[in-house]
């Protein structure tokens, strides 16, 4: 087993996507890693168990300070941990040093690397995976940490790499003791601001609060760094606060621009068409890898010397990330998708994709109110409007909303209607672990299928 016995770290909240990525990177650097979580779920749990067969990794279920060895050199605290948790109170009394995940990443993984930080309210995971996949396919050994499990075989969840490192630059806070956005610790040489909307109502009161955090990040970037910013009002307001780096606008005809036409994504640079991507030949681009993410990948990768020809070649091979409009079941009569959508804009994108193939009457929508903004009711009115074509009923008093013109059971029952040849669709949307919900829905679907 590969390890450095003199350096042990313990990760609180190790089954979170980001923290599991830190565990993987730390193990590959030679650290011994222990970790704990209140609940383990796939696909992260299976990945961690696989790592424990090769590296020195020990997992504990439940958080208990007694499970942390006194020889541990550092405790890395996930941002799901809060004051009042017994392990946190014990940690604050104890003598073992602690830090946040983003700060540890900045100091131990990103230090000395050329960091490509992928920021924005939507599309961080997909764009991070896209850029990493293209660079790796071009034999540029970039490190990366992706907020999901890539479906391409040549990508893992996290990779150390050499000169470059691609990372999701999340605006959420770092830890209970560090309320700065995670990305403040990353010191990027290239920053993408793909889009910007209000989100995370539990920690931000307004879009202006979010812009302030982004502005703090921009103020740390030198004149030799690069910022790719989408030309939309909230980002223009942000840049107007001050920018000292090399600024390139996205969705600006003077720089990079993308649009859809006749079932194609058209990419232009300085008013010249450089790519015309057929959605028939590039099916993954239509599902959730939308034109915004594709344009961002073009801008970043060409800056690093990748040719347009290579980008087109590897985009065709890109297979997305788990839980991004991922098809988890299909039969001749019904298809089930799972999606990470948890903000009105991302939900709208997913529903628009379904509208191209299914009528609202033939679609069941399950939205699990997993994010704090959802639980607080921040998006209730927008959700009502988005799901109106589906004659939706929003069950906002519970953590689960099931919306469709028919109940989910009635929708499935209609599959068995005599002479019915229309394919039905169900989409499950959440940013949380939904293993029990997924299992229940798939069992229900298969039960109806057997009755046919």
């Amino acid at each position: 087993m590969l390890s450095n016995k003199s350096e042990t770290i313990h990760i609180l909240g190790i089954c979170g996507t980001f923290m599991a990525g830190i565990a993987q990177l730390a193990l590959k650097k030679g650290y011994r890693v222990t970790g704990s979580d209140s609940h383990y779920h796939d696909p992260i749990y299976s990945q961690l168990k696989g790592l424990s067969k090769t590296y020195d990794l020990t997992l504990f279920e439940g958080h208990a300070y007694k499970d942390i060895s006194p020889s541990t050199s550092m405790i890395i605290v996930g941002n799901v941990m809060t004051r009042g948790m017994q392990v946190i109170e014990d940690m604050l009394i104890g003598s073992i040093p602690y830090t946040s995940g983003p700060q540890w990443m900045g100091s131990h993984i990103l230090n000395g690397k050329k960091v490509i930080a992928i920021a924005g309210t939507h599309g961080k995971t997909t764009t991070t995976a896209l850029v990493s996949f293209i660079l790796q396919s071009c034999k540029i050994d970039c490190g990366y940490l992706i907020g999901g499990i890539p479906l391409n075989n040549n990508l893992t969840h996290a990779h150390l790499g050499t000169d470059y490192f691609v990372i999701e630059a999340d605006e959420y806070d770092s830890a209970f003791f560090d309320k700065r956005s995670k990305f403040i610790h990353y010191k990027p040489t290239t920053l993408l601001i793909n889009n910007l909307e209000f989100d995370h109502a539990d920690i931000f009161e307004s879009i202006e609060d979010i812009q302030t955090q982004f502005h703090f990040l921009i103020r740390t970037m030198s004149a030799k760094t690069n910022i790719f910013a989408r030309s939309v009002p909230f980002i223009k307001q942000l840049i107007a606060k001050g920018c000292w780096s090399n600024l390139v606008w996205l969705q600006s005809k003077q720089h990079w621009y993308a649009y859809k036409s006749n079932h194609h994504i058209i990419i232009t640079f300085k008013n010249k068409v450089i790519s015309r991507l057929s959605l028939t030949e590039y099916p993954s681009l239509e599902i959730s890898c939308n034109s915004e993410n594709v344009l961002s990948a073009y801008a970043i990768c060409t800056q690093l010397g990748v040719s347009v020809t290579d980008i087109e070649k590897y985009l065709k091979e890109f297979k997305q990330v788990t839980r991004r409009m991922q098809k988890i079941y299909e039969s001749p009569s019904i298809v089930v998708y799972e999606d990470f959508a948890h903000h009105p804009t991302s939900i709208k994108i997913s529903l628009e994709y379904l509208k191209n193939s299914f009528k609202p009457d033939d679609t069941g929508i399950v939205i699990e109110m997993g994010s704090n903004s959802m639980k607080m009711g921040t998006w209730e009115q927008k959700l009502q409007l988005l799901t109106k074509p589906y004659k939706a009923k929003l069950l906002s008093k519970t953590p689960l909303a099931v919306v469709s013109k028919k109940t989910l059971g009635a929708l499935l029952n209609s599959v068995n209607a005599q002479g019915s040849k229309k394919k039905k669709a169900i989409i499950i949307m959440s940013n949380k672990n939904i293993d029990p919900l997924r299992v229940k829905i798939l069992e229900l679907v298969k039960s109806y299928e057997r009755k046919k």
Side-chain angles (χ1 to χ4, degrees):
M1 300 179 77
L2 303 175
S3 68
N4 179 348
K5 292 294 184 180
S6 64
E7 287 284 341
T8 300
I9 61 172
H10 183 88
I11 300 176
L12 293 172
I14 195 171
C15 203
T17 307
F18 177 67
M19 303 304 278
I22 287 179
Q24 186 168 339
L25 295 168
L27 289 166
K28 290 180 178 180
K29 283 207 74 169
Y31 288 88
R32 179 178 185 272
V33 177
T34 62
S36 59
D37 215 310
S38 57
H39 178 69
Y40 288 92
H41 54 82
D42 278 331
I44 298 298
Y45 179 60
S46 293
Q47 183 173 332
L48 290 172
K49 290 295 289 183
L51 287 168
S52 68
K53 295 177 182 178
T54 305
Y55 298 96
D56 202 340
L57 170 65
T58 304
L59 301 175
F60 298 95
E61 187 162 0
H63 298 294
Y65 194 71
K66 64 178 178 60
D67 292 330
I68 304 175
S69 169
S71 63
T72 298
S73 59
M74 183 67 69
I75 299 173
I76 304 178
V77 182
N79 69 356
V80 298
M81 311 303 293
T82 62
R83 287 302 303 264
M85 290 183 171
Q86 189 59 54
V87 68
I88 294 298
E89 301 307 311
D90 292 341
M91 179 191 78
L92 294 175
I93 295 171
S95 58
I96 301 174
Y98 61 89
T99 188
S100 70
Q103 186 163 7
W104 192 89
M105 273 292 299
S107 300
H108 294 79
I109 303 296
L110 304 181
N111 188 35
K113 287 184 167 39
K114 297 172 184 176
V115 177
I116 302 167
I118 308 296
T121 309
H122 318 292
K124 289 187 292 294
T125 297
T126 298
T127 307
T128 301
L130 258 177
V131 172
S132 302
F133 176 70
I134 293 169
L135 296 181
Q136 284 287 336
S137 299
C138 291
K139 309 304 180 185
I140 298 174
D141 185 27
C142 66
Y144 54 80
L145 201 171
I146 300 170
I149 308 300
L151 297 176
N152 286 93
N153 291 333
N154 67 329
L155 286 189
T156 61
H157 174 203
H159 177 65
L160 277 175
T162 51
D163 293 340
Y164 296 96
F165 199 99
V166 189
I167 188 168
E168 295 185 33
D170 192 357
E171 70 269 26
Y172 207 80
D173 60 6
S174 298
F176 73 86
F177 50 85
D178 183 357
K179 308 312 284 184
R180 294 173 296 172
S181 290
K182 292 178 181 177
F183 53 49
I184 202 69
H185 297 285
Y186 298 161
K187 298 180 174 57
T189 53
T190 296
L191 170 65
L192 166 70
I193 311 176
N194 205 21
N195 41 61
L196 197 59
E197 290 192 75
F198 180 65
D199 198 8
H200 308 306
D202 52 320
I203 60 173
F204 297 118
E205 293 187 1
S206 64
I207 186 67
E208 289 78 16
D209 284 352
I210 299 174
Q211 288 172 324
T212 296
Q213 290 294 323
F214 273 87
H215 182 55
F216 290 161
L217 174 61
I218 290 172
R219 292 184 71 89
T220 69
M221 297 178 64
S222 77
K224 293 184 178 181
T225 58
N226 302 292
I227 296 177
F228 293 95
R230 190 161 304 278
S231 181
V232 293
F234 285 146
I235 297 179
K236 286 181 177 179
Q237 291 170 10
L238 165 64
I239 297 299
K241 292 175 179 287
C243 180
W244 300 266
S245 304
N246 176 41
L247 177 65
V248 177
W249 287 107
L250 303 179
Q251 213 53 21
S252 165
K253 291 184 179 180
Q254 284 69 44
H255 293 119
W256 288 94
Y257 192 76
Y259 62 95
K260 286 187 178 181
S261 175
N262 296 326
H263 212 58
H264 286 72
I265 294 178
I266 314 298
I267 306 292
T268 71
F269 180 64
K270 294 184 177 179
N271 275 314
K272 179 182 178 181
V273 174
I274 62 171
S275 277
R276 188 181 298 270
L277 307 171
S278 166
L279 294 178
T280 302
E281 296 180 22
Y282 295 80
S284 68
L285 305 191
E286 186 175 27
I287 296 176
S288 65
C289 183
N290 59 39
S291 56
E292 282 191 6
N293 302 331
V294 173
L295 182 66
S296 298
Y298 266 82
I300 292 170
C301 292
T302 55
Q303 175 202 286
L304 298 179
V306 179
S307 70
V308 170
T309 300
D310 280 341
I311 294 174
E312 290 177 343
K313 174 184 176 181
Y314 296 120
L315 274 176
K316 192 174 289 188
E317 299 174 9
F318 183 66
K319 294 182 180 179
Q320 267 299 335
V321 182
T322 53
R323 300 189 65 196
R324 270 64 182 180
M325 280 302 291
Q326 184 182 6
K327 191 182 294 183
I328 59 173
Y329 178 84
E330 185 173 21
S331 74
S333 55
I334 194 163
V335 59
V336 183
Y337 296 94
E338 185 174 340
D339 194 35
F340 196 74
H342 59 282
H343 182 283
T345 298
S346 51
I347 291 171
K348 181 181 179 181
I349 291 171
S350 298
L351 293 182
E352 284 178 347
Y353 168 73
L354 288 179
K355 284 179 184 178
N356 293 331
S357 304
F358 307 95
K359 293 181 178 179
D361 285 1
D362 298 322
T363 306
I365 310 168
V366 181
I367 303 175
E368 195 259 349
M369 302 291 198
S371 73
N372 290 322
S373 295
M374 281 282 202
K375 291 176 182 177
M376 293 168 65
T378 306
W379 307 126
E380 184 166 341
Q381 187 175 2
K382 287 191 175 182
L383 280 176
Q384 292 283 12
L385 292 173
L386 279 173
T387 56
K388 189 175 181 180
Y390 300 85
K391 307 297 188 296
K393 181 180 180 183
L394 183 63
L395 307 178
S396 58
K397 293 183 179 179
T398 69
L400 176 69
V402 180
V403 289
S404 66
K405 182 177 180 180
K406 306 164 185 176
T407 65
L408 191 59
L411 176 78
L412 289 167
N413 219 4
S414 69
V415 173
N416 295 322
Q418 190 173 1
S420 174
K421 295 182 180 180
K422 292 181 180 179
K423 198 163 193 172
K424 313 293 180 181
I426 293 173
I427 181 169
I428 312 166
M429 291 183 271
S430 176
N431 70 329
K432 297 294 184 182
N433 167 42
I434 54 171
D435 288 350
L437 177 61
R438 182 196 308 110
V439 169
K440 182 178 179 180
I441 289 175
L442 290 180
E443 285 178 350
L444 187 60
V445 168
K446 292 174 183 178
S447 174
Y448 276 99
E449 291 282 280
R450 287 193 295 268
K451 292 177 183 178
K452 290 188 63 179

